Structure formats: C-alpha cells, structure tokens
Amino acid sequence: MRAVLLQKFDTPLVLGEIDKPTTGRGEVLVKIKASGVNPLDTKIRAGKAAHAKRTLPAVLGLDLAGVVEEVGPGVHDLAPGDEVFGMTGGVGDVQGSLAEYAAVDSRLLARKPAALSMREAAAVPLVFITAWEGLVDRAQVHAGQKVLIHGGAGGIGQVAVQIARARGAEVFATASPSRLEVVERLGATPIDYTTTTVEEYVAEHTGGEGFDVIFDTVGGSVLDASFAAVRTYTGHVVSALGWGTHSIAPLSFRGATYSGVFTLLPLLTGRGREHHGEIMREAAALADAGALKPQLDPRHFTLADVAEAHAAVESGTAQGKVVIDVD
C-alpha cells in the first residue's frame, strides 16, 4: 500500500510503498479515506515531541476517517462496510493514518456521524477527545456555569466552545482581533485578549467572581492568567498545554482546582482505549444533532502533498482544520 514515511526526524516525509497491515485480535482493517493534520504531527516530524514517543521509521497521522474492510478475531460491534472515525495512531509504535490502510484497535473507533463527510469526520478526533476530557471528564461542565475557553478560535478551542454550549454553559472565549468573529459565530462571547486585561474581563463578565471553568488551550502565560481568573472555592482550571514553570499560588489563594489533559495516554499505554471510543460516540451524537461542526481549511491535499499540508499548519495560514484526502 502507499504510505507517507518519516525515516529520520526533521527530514522531509517520503511517499512510498509498505506492506498492507493484517488484523490482530481486537483489530479492524480500515481503508482510510481522510487523515486530519494536527500541530502535534508537525512537531513529531520535527523531532520536537518526545512525549509522543514516536519510533522510526514511522507513518504519522493521528486522526482518520474511513471504511472497515476486514474484522479481526474478537470484534463484534463493527462489520465490513461500516464508516468509522477515531484517533488511532501516529505515536509510540502505532501506525498512523497517512497510509491507504491501517489495522486499528476497534476500541478506539466509533461509527462516523451521518451529518459529517469523511473529511469533516477526520478533522474531529484529537481535538474533540482533548476538549471532552478537559471539560467533561475533568471539569464536569454543566448548565448554569460560566466557562472561559482560551484560544477559542483554534482547533481544540472551537470544539471546546461547541461542547460547553451543548452542555448548557454560558461560554466566553479569548481570541486575537482577526479571529473574534470565529468565536462569536460559534456562539461564545468573544474577548480580545490583546486589549483587555484579565481583571477587566473577569469584572465585566463575572462581576469579579471569576469563571466556573477555564479551559486553557494555549499554555505559558495564559495558564497563569487562568489561575487568576477562576472562581473562588468552586472554580476549576483545565489545561491541554502545561509546558513551562508556573506559580500555583494564585490558584491556591482562590481555593480552586487544576487538572491536566494528556490525550495520547491510551495510545501510548494501551489503557483507557475504550473510553476514547466512548468519546467518539459522543462526538458522533453531537454532530448528528447539529451541535458539532468542524471548520475545514478549503484546500485539498493528497498523500503526495503532505509536506505542503504540514507547512500550512506550521505557518498558521490554515483557515480551519487541514485534512489529507487519502483515497
């Protein structure tokens, strides 16, 4: 089968031929239709993501959408012809989605929502799982809460806004001036972080009390700002990017709590994969209910164009999620 290979970190990806995989127990063979590109993919390629524990040579690509072609022993909930999606590989020693086929642990998959195309479905898994683990698993977001999403116009941020709104929360989101319209279109109250201080937006939107839940998708100084903007006693900060050195004193002085999210753990350890499948089923239900709609970059890339797709993500020029058309 055709596949895009990374032979050495920080070198160009190469389109070549490798053996078509065979299914083991609990696996299904998926004919891949589309592969979503995440910033993490570009960091892995550059050798700047040691936490992904990628072994070389490797096929990258975390997210896929496709069609089940074969079912291995022990799989009873999927059948040939089923359209599926999920975050299925691209880290550790697990083959990624930049190939025509992948043998996938069936626990990681859910049936593709009818409301989304293959391209749209491939844009969902990593960002949705990250947002769901933060907002639902950790913070238990619910109706009546005020939720602040930092980086609301980004890949994870856009999905986080939609999840929080679907669960009945009042949602606010920070963004740069050129991206405020994206946040507003998703139904969140936009906050221009370049012209508004933490104290100002906390006072304006919460009467100085702080937000019930803050989801940080940016990291660095934004995580520090989150500690200062969360509600006293009951507030909860969640971050998907904990890089850096931070003082937790502002959080402690508020009596608030913090959680981190590391979405790759089930792929790296084999533990918790069933829950990723459950989260993907939640994504499918929201999409079919009209409450989840990914925004795609309009450009179409193929396996031969992966370098250009990665460049679009790295340069920040993408207008939505970049997706590779595999089939």
Side-chain angles (χ1 to χ4, degrees), residues 137-221:
D137 291 347
R138 307 291 193 276
Q140 299 176 354
V141 166
H142 58 265
Q145 291 184 314
K146 289 191 174 184
V147 175
L148 174 63
I149 310 297
H150 281 304
I156 298 172
Q158 288 190 33
V159 172
V161 168
Q162 293 177 76
I163 290 173
R165 291 193 69 240
R167 294 181 69 85
E170 183 181 2
V171 185
F172 305 81
T174 60
S176 62
S178 65
R179 304 286 279 166
L180 292 174
E181 183 271 334
V182 173
V183 167
E184 192 166 20
R185 188 171 68 248
L186 291 170
T189 299
I191 298 172
D192 183 349
Y193 70 85
T194 67
T195 60
T196 311
T197 67
V198 174
E199 294 77 12
E200 287 171 342
Y201 63 68
V202 168
E204 179 181 355
H205 299 300
T206 74
E209 293 294 320
F211 296 90
D212 297 292
V213 175
I214 300 178
F215 188 30
D216 163 39
T217 73
V218 181
S221 61

Side-chain angles (χ1 to χ4, degrees), residues 7-326:
Q7 302 282 6
K8 184 179 179 181
F9 291 122
D10 203 24
T11 62
L13 296 165
V14 178
L15 178 60
E17 296 273 339
I18 63 173
D19 291 339
K20 183 178 176 181
T22 57
T23 55
R25 184 165 189 83
E27 293 182 333
V28 297
L29 183 67
V30 177
K31 182 173 177 58
I32 300 169
K33 297 292 186 179
S35 170
V37 181
N38 295 284
L40 178 57
D41 295 308
T42 68
K43 291 181 174 67
I44 292 172
R45 189 201 76 244
K48 297 177 180 178
H51 61 291
K53 300 180 180 178
R54 180 75 270 200
T55 54
L56 301 182
V59 176
L60 304 187
L62 292 131
D63 296 336
L64 65 74
V67 179
V68 174
E69 187 162 286
E70 297 175 10
V71 174
V75 177
H76 306 293
D77 56 344
L78 292 172
D82 285 345
E83 296 183 335
V84 293
F85 72 140
M87 187 181 84
T88 60
V91 299
D93 59 358
V94 186
Q95 183 205 305
S97 56
L98 290 178
E100 292 179 308
Y101 295 89
V104 176
D105 186 331
S106 66
R107 296 174 295 174
L108 297 166
L109 295 169
R111 287 180 176 80
K112 183 186 76 66
L116 300 185
S117 67
M118 285 289 183
R119 284 173 51 78
E120 290 171 326
V124 170
L126 181 142
V127 292
F128 189 92
I129 292 170
T130 303
W132 186 274
E133 287 187 339
L135 290 173
V136 181
D137 291 347
R138 307 291 193 276
Q140 299 176 354
V141 166
H142 58 265
Q145 291 184 314
K146 289 191 174 184
V147 175
L148 174 63
I149 310 297
H150 281 304
I156 298 172
Q158 288 190 33
V159 172
V161 168
Q162 293 177 76
I163 290 173
R165 291 193 69 240
R167 294 181 69 85
E170 183 181 2
V171 185
F172 305 81
T174 60
S176 62
S178 65
R179 304 286 279 166
L180 292 174
E181 183 271 334
V182 173
V183 167
E184 192 166 20
R185 188 171 68 248
L186 291 170
T189 299
I191 298 172
D192 183 349
Y193 70 85
T194 67
T195 60
T196 311
T197 67
V198 174
E199 294 77 12
E200 287 171 342
Y201 63 68
V202 168
E204 179 181 355
H205 299 300
T206 74
E209 293 294 320
F211 296 90
D212 297 292
V213 175
I214 300 178
F215 188 30
D216 163 39
T217 73
V218 181
S221 61
V222 175
L223 181 54
D224 295 319
S226 301
F227 292 160
V230 70
R231 182 180 289 275
T232 302
Y233 291 128
T234 59
H236 193 87
V237 175
V238 184
S239 180
L241 288 169
W243 305 113
T245 301
H246 305 273
S247 170
I248 63 170
L251 184 77
S252 298
F253 292 154
R254 291 177 176 272
T257 54
Y258 168 81
S259 294
V261 174
F262 185 39
T263 312
L264 304 184
L265 273 177
L267 279 175
L268 294 173
T269 67
R271 296 166 54 191
R273 290 185 175 183
E274 295 91 347
H275 187 48
H276 274 197
E278 292 167 355
I279 295 173
M280 294 315 301
R281 287 189 285 276
E282 296 283 358
L286 284 181
D288 281 336
L292 174 67
K293 184 71 172 178
Q295 179 182 347
L296 302 189
D297 186 275
R299 290 169 288 185
H300 284 253
F301 300 96
T302 69
L303 289 180
D305 307 319
V306 172
E308 289 85 352
H310 276 215
V313 173
E314 290 176 299
S315 66
T317 60
Q319 298 299 308
K321 190 69 173 278
V322 172
V323 175
I324 306 293
D325 296 312
V326 177

